[in-house]
């Protein structure tokens, strides 16, 4: 039979304050069931996690954070898919989803990081070592995921780098106190994030980002973290080494890009020479070799990794700054009529009568930078269209009648939300041509001279309209000439780009 005091406590629902607060948090967690993914994310960020981080008991706080993260894992993938499939520049709905997902991952990462710091600053390192490992790894994984979300929208990760570096330094400090503790999973996640950043994701097509993330995670085991020593300034800089100064809040700088004689007194060195060796071996590996498996990396991505880590990806021309405006269209279906509408096109006079009314809607862009082979442009206003790295665009400055046909090489969304493209000009002269030998009318873009490919001409058309080895008669400039379609130079969604060999 219960004592009178026990009955009295039951009647008053007596609980210690800490337990009562934990129960309140669990009740909040129960309320997110049945909500939409966006509502779950906003509710966790606004109410649940702020209540969790106020818990004084580290064990209880960690357990509640784990419960919140499980709820987040049900909702975050839905928002991430929404962002992946959205056009660029992101419409308002996708931007709202991206901000909500980023805020939740940041809140969770901060919650785990605070637990790791509390353990580090306390006196129970040994008894709480497992919790430290788990909290630090969860925080590192969430920060890397925030960065990947930013890269998928071609935005620049901001404060996450500062926290990522601080978290790694905290883990190293913890390991120095307890040498038997293994922080290799935390270091591996850290190096994966750095390698992915060195790859310059803004130069990759969105469809390639998932493969790039997977590859850098596999290759991170071959990267090495080294301390800055007096010998660092006297030893010749490796082309595949980067110096990381945590206070600068970025992934680091290639040693070879530092001005000659720049002293290095602090920070850490990320040596990627082992990664580069593995990549080089994979390229030179004989197809029938069986002594060790090759890397399952697409050739184009493997080449990009070699350039990024080998110090060979350098700008060829100095930039010239100016800010006129330009009209631009994207996609071969709009580029062809846009070229024909140009006064410099020999077909502009009969374009409307032969091919109907205007079928393109240009948007307005600001020309931020220009080099001999490209532009940096910033979106101002106009119709949005699906743009990605490798897509074709046609650009016409407002004060000029010349149309530049370019490929998108880089995409960036800066901290102010401005959407920018890095464009490579393909040829100083282009023409729209009819592709002969087909029942229906097929049209392509003839590029008279390709400076980036030995000044040979090239041709661009929709996928399947051209094939290597076929012969083609073009009458774009003067007398008709017979060409053979050479190797395919590039391909992306909606187009194929071939070299032409004269016959």
């Amino acid at each position: 039979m219960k004592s009178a005091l026990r009955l009295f406590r039951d009647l008053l629902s007596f609980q210690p304050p800490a337990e009562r607060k934990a129960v309140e948090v669990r009740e909040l967690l129960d309320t997110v069931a049945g909500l939409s993914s966006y509502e779950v994310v906003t509710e966790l960020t606004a109410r649940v996690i702020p209540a969790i981080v106020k818990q004084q008991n580290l064990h209880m706080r960690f357990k509640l954070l784990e419960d919140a993260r499980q709820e987040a894992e049900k909702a975050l993938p839905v928002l991430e898919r929404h962002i992946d499939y959205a056009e660029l520049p992101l419409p308002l709905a996708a931007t709202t989803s991206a901000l909500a997902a980023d805020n939740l991952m940041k809140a969770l990462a901060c919650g785990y990081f605070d637990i790791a710091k509390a353990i580090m600053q306390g006196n129970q390192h040994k008894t709480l070592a497992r919790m430290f490992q788990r909290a630090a790894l969860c925080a590192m994984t969430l920060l890397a995921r925030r960065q990947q979300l930013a890269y998928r929208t071609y935005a620049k990760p901001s404060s996450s780098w500062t926290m990522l570096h601080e978290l790694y330094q905290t883990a190293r400090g913890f390991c120095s106190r307890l040498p038997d503790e293994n922080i290799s999973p935390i270091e591996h996640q850290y190096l994966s994030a750095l390698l992915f950043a060195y790859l310059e994701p803004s130069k990759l097509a969105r469809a390639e980002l998932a493969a790039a993330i997977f590859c850098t995670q596999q290759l991170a085991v071959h990267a090495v973290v080294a301390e800055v020593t007096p010998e660092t300034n006297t030893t010749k800089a490796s082309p595949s080494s980067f110096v990381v100064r945590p206070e600068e809040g970025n992934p680091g700088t290639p040693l070879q890009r530092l001005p000659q004689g720049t002293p290095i007194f602090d920070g850490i060195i990320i040596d990627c020479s082992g990664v580069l060796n593995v990549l080089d071996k994979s390229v030179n590996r004989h197809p029938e070799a069986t002594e060790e498996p090759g890397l399952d990396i697409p050739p184009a991505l493997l080449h990009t990794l070699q350039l990024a880590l080998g110090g060979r990806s350098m700008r060829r021309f100095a930039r010239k700054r100016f800010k006129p405006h330009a009209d631009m269209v994207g996609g071969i279906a709009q580029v062809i009529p846009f070229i024909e509408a140009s006064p410099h096109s020999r077909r502009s006079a009969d374009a409307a009568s032969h091919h109907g009314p205007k079928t393109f809607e240009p948007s307005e862009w600001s020309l931020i930078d220009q080099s001999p082979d490209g532009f940096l442009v910033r979106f101002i206003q106009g119709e949005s269209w699906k743009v990605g790295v490798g897509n074709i665009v046609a650009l016409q400055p407002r004060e000029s009648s010349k149309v530049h046909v370019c490929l998108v090489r880089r995409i960036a969304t800066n901290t102010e939300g401005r959407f920018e493209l890095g464009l490579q000009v393909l040829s100083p002269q282009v023409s729209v041509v009819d592709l002969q030998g087909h029942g229906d009318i097929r049209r392509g873009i003839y590029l008279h001279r390709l400076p980036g490919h030995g000044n040979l001409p090239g041709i661009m058309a929709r996928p399947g309209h051209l094939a290597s080895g076929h012969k083609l008669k073009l009458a774009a400039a003067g007398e008709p000439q017979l060409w053979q379609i050479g190797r395919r130079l590039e391909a992306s969604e909606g187009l194929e780009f071939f070299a032409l060999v004269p016959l």
Side-chain angles (χ1 to χ4, degrees), residues 49-76:
I49 296 176
I52 291 174
V53 297
K54 293 178 182 177
Q55 298 288 322
Q56 297 300 316
N57 185 292
L58 286 181
H59 291 277
M60 182 61 70
R61 196 195 312 176
F62 179 77
K63 179 65 172 67
L64 292 172
L65 266 181
E66 290 284 85
D67 293 341
R69 188 169 64 87
Q70 287 182 10
E71 292 296 329
E73 286 298 338
K74 301 173 186 176
L76 280 173

mmCIF file of all heavy atoms in Angstrom, residues 49-76:
data_model
loop_
_atom_site.group_PDB
_atom_site.id
_atom_site.type_symbol
_atom_site.label_atom_id
_atom_site.label_comp_id
_atom_site.label_asym_id
_atom_site.label_seq_id
_atom_site.Cartn_x
_atom_site.Cartn_y
_atom_site.Cartn_z
ATOM 1 N N ILE A 49 14.423 22.697 -30.512
ATOM 2 C CA ILE A 49 15.867 22.735 -30.228
ATOM 3 C C ILE A 49 16.224 23.819 -29.214
ATOM 4 O O ILE A 49 17.041 23.582 -28.314
ATOM 5 C CB ILE A 49 16.664 22.885 -31.537
ATOM 6 C CG1 ILE A 49 16.432 21.641 -32.403
ATOM 7 C CG2 ILE A 49 18.151 23.054 -31.257
ATOM 8 C CD1 ILE A 49 17.062 21.694 -33.755
ATOM 9 N N PRO A 50 15.640 25.049 -29.274
ATOM 10 C CA PRO A 50 15.919 26.023 -28.209
ATOM 11 C C PRO A 50 15.574 25.504 -26.812
ATOM 12 O O PRO A 50 16.258 25.826 -25.837
ATOM 13 C CB PRO A 50 15.036 27.216 -28.586
ATOM 14 C CG PRO A 50 14.905 27.125 -30.068
ATOM 15 C CD PRO A 50 14.839 25.659 -30.356
ATOM 16 N N ALA A 51 14.524 24.676 -26.714
ATOM 17 C CA ALA A 51 14.186 24.099 -25.410
ATOM 18 C C ALA A 51 15.180 23.023 -25.009
ATOM 19 O O ALA A 51 15.508 22.868 -23.822
ATOM 20 C CB ALA A 51 12.768 23.521 -25.452
ATOM 21 N N ILE A 52 15.699 22.283 -25.977
ATOM 22 C CA ILE A 52 16.658 21.213 -25.675
ATOM 23 C C ILE A 52 17.975 21.783 -25.154
ATOM 24 O O ILE A 52 18.548 21.274 -24.180
ATOM 25 C CB ILE A 52 16.900 20.340 -26.922
ATOM 26 C CG1 ILE A 52 15.643 19.531 -27.260
ATOM 27 C CG2 ILE A 52 18.090 19.405 -26.720
ATOM 28 C CD1 ILE A 52 15.745 18.744 -28.559
ATOM 29 N N VAL A 53 18.487 22.823 -25.807
ATOM 30 C CA VAL A 53 19.814 23.327 -25.445
ATOM 31 C C VAL A 53 19.823 23.983 -24.064
ATOM 32 O O VAL A 53 20.890 24.261 -23.514
ATOM 33 C CB VAL A 53 20.338 24.320 -26.505
ATOM 34 C CG1 VAL A 53 20.502 23.630 -27.842
ATOM 35 C CG2 VAL A 53 19.418 25.530 -26.647
ATOM 36 N N LYS A 54 18.644 24.217 -23.483
ATOM 37 C CA LYS A 54 18.581 24.771 -22.131
ATOM 38 C C LYS A 54 18.718 23.690 -21.059
ATOM 39 O O LYS A 54 18.849 24.007 -19.878
ATOM 40 C CB LYS A 54 17.259 25.513 -21.940
ATOM 41 C CG LYS A 54 17.124 26.779 -22.785
ATOM 42 C CD LYS A 54 15.774 27.428 -22.577
ATOM 43 C CE LYS A 54 15.619 28.672 -23.470
ATOM 44 N NZ LYS A 54 14.270 29.275 -23.324
ATOM 45 N N GLN A 55 18.679 22.415 -21.460
ATOM 46 C CA GLN A 55 18.819 21.319 -20.502
ATOM 47 C C GLN A 55 20.220 21.339 -19.903
ATOM 48 O O GLN A 55 21.212 21.355 -20.628
ATOM 49 C CB GLN A 55 18.568 19.979 -21.193
ATOM 50 C CG GLN A 55 17.185 19.805 -21.771
ATOM 51 C CD GLN A 55 16.138 19.615 -20.690
ATOM 52 O OE1 GLN A 55 16.384 18.962 -19.684
ATOM 53 N NE2 GLN A 55 14.962 20.181 -20.901
ATOM 54 N N GLN A 56 20.288 21.314 -18.573
ATOM 55 C CA GLN A 56 21.590 21.354 -17.904
ATOM 56 C C GLN A 56 22.279 19.998 -17.907
ATOM 57 O O GLN A 56 23.504 19.928 -17.992
ATOM 58 C CB GLN A 56 21.401 21.834 -16.457
ATOM 59 C CG GLN A 56 20.859 23.251 -16.350
ATOM 60 C CD GLN A 56 21.781 24.273 -17.001
ATOM 61 O OE1 GLN A 56 23.002 24.228 -16.821
ATOM 62 N NE2 GLN A 56 21.202 25.180 -17.764
ATOM 63 N N ASN A 57 21.487 18.930 -17.809
ATOM 64 C CA ASN A 57 22.061 17.586 -17.779
ATOM 65 C C ASN A 57 22.529 17.200 -19.178
ATOM 66 O O ASN A 57 21.731 17.134 -20.119
ATOM 67 C CB ASN A 57 21.002 16.599 -17.275
ATOM 68 C CG ASN A 57 21.561 15.204 -17.104
ATOM 69 O OD1 ASN A 57 21.902 14.544 -18.074
ATOM 70 N ND2 ASN A 57 21.642 14.745 -15.864
ATOM 71 N N LEU A 58 23.840 16.951 -19.339
ATOM 72 C CA LEU A 58 24.390 16.665 -20.662
ATOM 73 C C LEU A 58 23.820 15.383 -21.255
ATOM 74 O O LEU A 58 23.554 15.312 -22.462
ATOM 75 C CB LEU A 58 25.918 16.558 -20.592
ATOM 76 C CG LEU A 58 26.691 17.873 -20.427
ATOM 77 C CD1 LEU A 58 28.188 17.604 -20.403
ATOM 78 C CD2 LEU A 58 26.354 18.844 -21.548
ATOM 79 N N HIS A 59 23.637 14.364 -20.423
ATOM 80 C CA HIS A 59 23.079 13.099 -20.918
ATOM 81 C C HIS A 59 21.676 13.312 -21.469
ATOM 82 O O HIS A 59 21.341 12.818 -22.556
ATOM 83 C CB HIS A 59 23.063 12.047 -19.800
ATOM 84 C CG HIS A 59 24.417 11.581 -19.392
ATOM 85 N ND1 HIS A 59 25.105 10.602 -20.073
ATOM 86 C CD2 HIS A 59 25.220 11.980 -18.370
ATOM 87 C CE1 HIS A 59 26.276 10.399 -19.479
ATOM 88 N NE2 HIS A 59 26.372 11.219 -18.442
ATOM 89 N N MET A 60 20.860 14.047 -20.709
ATOM 90 C CA MET A 60 19.491 14.307 -21.154
ATOM 91 C C MET A 60 19.491 15.177 -22.411
ATOM 92 O O MET A 60 18.729 14.936 -23.350
ATOM 93 C CB MET A 60 18.713 14.992 -20.035
ATOM 94 C CG MET A 60 17.253 15.260 -20.379
ATOM 95 S SD MET A 60 16.331 13.753 -20.707
ATOM 96 C CE MET A 60 16.261 13.051 -19.050
ATOM 97 N N ARG A 61 20.365 16.187 -22.424
ATOM 98 C CA ARG A 61 20.410 17.068 -23.600
ATOM 99 C C ARG A 61 20.818 16.299 -24.852
ATOM 100 O O ARG A 61 20.228 16.470 -25.921
ATOM 101 C CB ARG A 61 21.411 18.209 -23.364
ATOM 102 C CG ARG A 61 21.243 19.361 -24.349
ATOM 103 C CD ARG A 61 22.424 20.313 -24.375
ATOM 104 N NE ARG A 61 22.863 20.718 -23.054
ATOM 105 C CZ ARG A 61 23.933 21.492 -22.858
ATOM 106 N NH1 ARG A 61 24.650 21.909 -23.900
ATOM 107 N NH2 ARG A 61 24.311 21.814 -21.638
ATOM 108 N N PHE A 62 21.810 15.432 -24.716
ATOM 109 C CA PHE A 62 22.260 14.649 -25.862
ATOM 110 C C PHE A 62 21.153 13.710 -26.341
ATOM 111 O O PHE A 62 20.911 13.589 -27.546
ATOM 112 C CB PHE A 62 23.505 13.843 -25.480
ATOM 113 C CG PHE A 62 24.041 12.982 -26.581
ATOM 114 C CD1 PHE A 62 24.770 13.545 -27.614
ATOM 115 C CD2 PHE A 62 23.803 11.615 -26.605
ATOM 116 C CE1 PHE A 62 25.262 12.752 -28.652
ATOM 117 C CE2 PHE A 62 24.282 10.820 -27.629
ATOM 118 C CZ PHE A 62 25.012 11.390 -28.653
ATOM 119 N N LYS A 63 20.458 13.047 -25.404
ATOM 120 C CA LYS A 63 19.389 12.131 -25.794
ATOM 121 C C LYS A 63 18.268 12.873 -26.515
ATOM 122 O O LYS A 63 17.742 12.401 -27.543
ATOM 123 C CB LYS A 63 18.836 11.441 -24.536
ATOM 124 C CG LYS A 63 17.689 10.471 -24.805
ATOM 125 C CD LYS A 63 18.167 9.281 -25.638
ATOM 126 C CE LYS A 63 17.100 8.199 -25.749
ATOM 127 N NZ LYS A 63 15.926 8.622 -26.524
ATOM 128 N N LEU A 64 17.894 14.044 -26.024
ATOM 129 C CA LEU A 64 16.824 14.817 -26.666
ATOM 130 C C LEU A 64 17.260 15.323 -28.038
ATOM 131 O O LEU A 64 16.460 15.378 -28.982
ATOM 132 C CB LEU A 64 16.409 15.988 -25.773
ATOM 133 C CG LEU A 64 15.692 15.603 -24.471
ATOM 134 C CD1 LEU A 64 15.502 16.820 -23.589
ATOM 135 C CD2 LEU A 64 14.341 14.949 -24.781
ATOM 136 N N LEU A 65 18.534 15.710 -28.161
ATOM 137 C CA LEU A 65 19.038 16.127 -29.477
ATOM 138 C C LEU A 65 18.984 14.978 -30.475
ATOM 139 O O LEU A 65 18.643 15.179 -31.652
ATOM 140 C CB LEU A 65 20.478 16.634 -29.352
ATOM 141 C CG LEU A 65 20.694 18.140 -29.176
ATOM 142 C CD1 LEU A 65 22.180 18.440 -29.101
ATOM 143 C CD2 LEU A 65 20.052 18.943 -30.303
ATOM 144 N N GLU A 66 19.329 13.786 -30.026
ATOM 145 C CA GLU A 66 19.250 12.619 -30.905
ATOM 146 C C GLU A 66 17.808 12.379 -31.357
ATOM 147 O O GLU A 66 17.555 12.069 -32.525
ATOM 148 C CB GLU A 66 19.780 11.381 -30.173
ATOM 149 C CG GLU A 66 21.277 11.392 -29.940
ATOM 150 C CD GLU A 66 22.060 11.077 -31.208
ATOM 151 O OE1 GLU A 66 22.317 12.016 -31.993
ATOM 152 O OE2 GLU A 66 22.411 9.913 -31.426
ATOM 153 N N ASP A 67 16.847 12.547 -30.439
ATOM 154 C CA ASP A 67 15.438 12.380 -30.810
ATOM 155 C C ASP A 67 15.016 13.438 -31.824
ATOM 156 O O ASP A 67 14.300 13.147 -32.788
ATOM 157 C CB ASP A 67 14.553 12.462 -29.566
ATOM 158 C CG ASP A 67 14.780 11.288 -28.618
ATOM 159 O OD1 ASP A 67 15.331 10.259 -29.067
ATOM 160 O OD2 ASP A 67 14.425 11.409 -27.430
ATOM 161 N N ALA A 68 15.474 14.677 -31.611
ATOM 162 C CA ALA A 68 15.126 15.756 -32.546
ATOM 163 C C ALA A 68 15.753 15.505 -33.913
ATOM 164 O O ALA A 68 15.137 15.785 -34.948
ATOM 165 C CB ALA A 68 15.596 17.096 -31.979
ATOM 166 N N ARG A 69 16.981 14.990 -33.916
ATOM 167 C CA ARG A 69 17.645 14.730 -35.194
ATOM 168 C C ARG A 69 16.923 13.629 -35.976
ATOM 169 O O ARG A 69 16.844 13.678 -37.207
ATOM 170 C CB ARG A 69 19.108 14.349 -34.956
ATOM 171 C CG ARG A 69 19.938 14.245 -36.233
ATOM 172 C CD ARG A 69 21.418 14.136 -35.919
ATOM 173 N NE ARG A 69 21.706 12.913 -35.185
ATOM 174 C CZ ARG A 69 21.958 11.735 -35.751
ATOM 175 N NH1 ARG A 69 21.940 11.625 -37.082
ATOM 176 N NH2 ARG A 69 22.224 10.686 -35.017
ATOM 177 N N GLN A 70 16.380 12.636 -35.256
ATOM 178 C CA GLN A 70 15.621 11.587 -35.938
ATOM 179 C C GLN A 70 14.375 12.166 -36.613
ATOM 180 O O GLN A 70 14.035 11.776 -37.730
ATOM 181 C CB GLN A 70 15.220 10.504 -34.936
ATOM 182 C CG GLN A 70 16.377 9.619 -34.497
ATOM 183 C CD GLN A 70 15.939 8.524 -33.547
ATOM 184 O OE1 GLN A 70 14.755 8.308 -33.349
ATOM 185 N NE2 GLN A 70 16.899 7.826 -32.957
ATOM 186 N N GLU A 71 13.715 13.100 -35.943
ATOM 187 C CA GLU A 71 12.558 13.763 -36.566
ATOM 188 C C GLU A 71 13.009 14.608 -37.761
ATOM 189 O O GLU A 71 12.333 14.658 -38.791
ATOM 190 C CB GLU A 71 11.834 14.648 -35.539
ATOM 191 C CG GLU A 71 11.147 13.884 -34.423
ATOM 192 C CD GLU A 71 10.008 13.004 -34.939
ATOM 193 O OE1 GLU A 71 9.380 13.370 -35.949
ATOM 194 O OE2 GLU A 71 9.768 11.942 -34.333
ATOM 195 N N ALA A 72 14.165 15.260 -37.617
ATOM 196 C CA ALA A 72 14.678 16.090 -38.715
ATOM 197 C C ALA A 72 14.991 15.246 -39.943
ATOM 198 O O ALA A 72 14.768 15.684 -41.083
ATOM 199 C CB ALA A 72 15.924 16.850 -38.266
ATOM 200 N N GLU A 73 15.502 14.037 -39.731
ATOM 201 C CA GLU A 73 15.872 13.169 -40.854
ATOM 202 C C GLU A 73 14.656 12.729 -41.667
ATOM 203 O O GLU A 73 14.801 12.283 -42.799
ATOM 204 C CB GLU A 73 16.642 11.957 -40.354
ATOM 205 C CG GLU A 73 18.069 12.255 -39.925
ATOM 206 C CD GLU A 73 18.922 12.779 -41.052
ATOM 207 O OE1 GLU A 73 18.590 12.535 -42.227
ATOM 208 O OE2 GLU A 73 19.918 13.471 -40.771
ATOM 209 N N LYS A 74 13.471 12.822 -41.103
ATOM 210 C CA LYS A 74 12.267 12.487 -41.852
ATOM 211 C C LYS A 74 11.844 13.640 -42.766
ATOM 212 O O LYS A 74 11.190 13.420 -43.789
ATOM 213 C CB LYS A 74 11.112 12.163 -40.901
ATOM 214 C CG LYS A 74 11.382 11.000 -39.964
ATOM 215 C CD LYS A 74 10.245 10.849 -38.942
ATOM 216 C CE LYS A 74 10.558 9.778 -37.911
ATOM 217 N NZ LYS A 74 9.506 9.685 -36.865
ATOM 218 N N ALA A 75 12.211 14.871 -42.390
ATOM 219 C CA ALA A 75 11.738 16.048 -43.120
ATOM 220 C C ALA A 75 12.792 16.667 -44.027
ATOM 221 O O ALA A 75 12.473 17.148 -45.121
ATOM 222 C CB ALA A 75 11.243 17.102 -42.124
ATOM 223 N N LEU A 76 14.054 16.668 -43.596
ATOM 224 C CA LEU A 76 15.099 17.346 -44.370
ATOM 225 C C LEU A 76 15.254 16.809 -45.792
ATOM 226 O O LEU A 76 15.394 17.603 -46.740
ATOM 227 C CB LEU A 76 16.438 17.267 -43.637
ATOM 228 C CG LEU A 76 16.640 18.263 -42.493
ATOM 229 C CD1 LEU A 76 17.925 17.960 -41.744
ATOM 230 C CD2 LEU A 76 16.653 19.690 -43.012
#
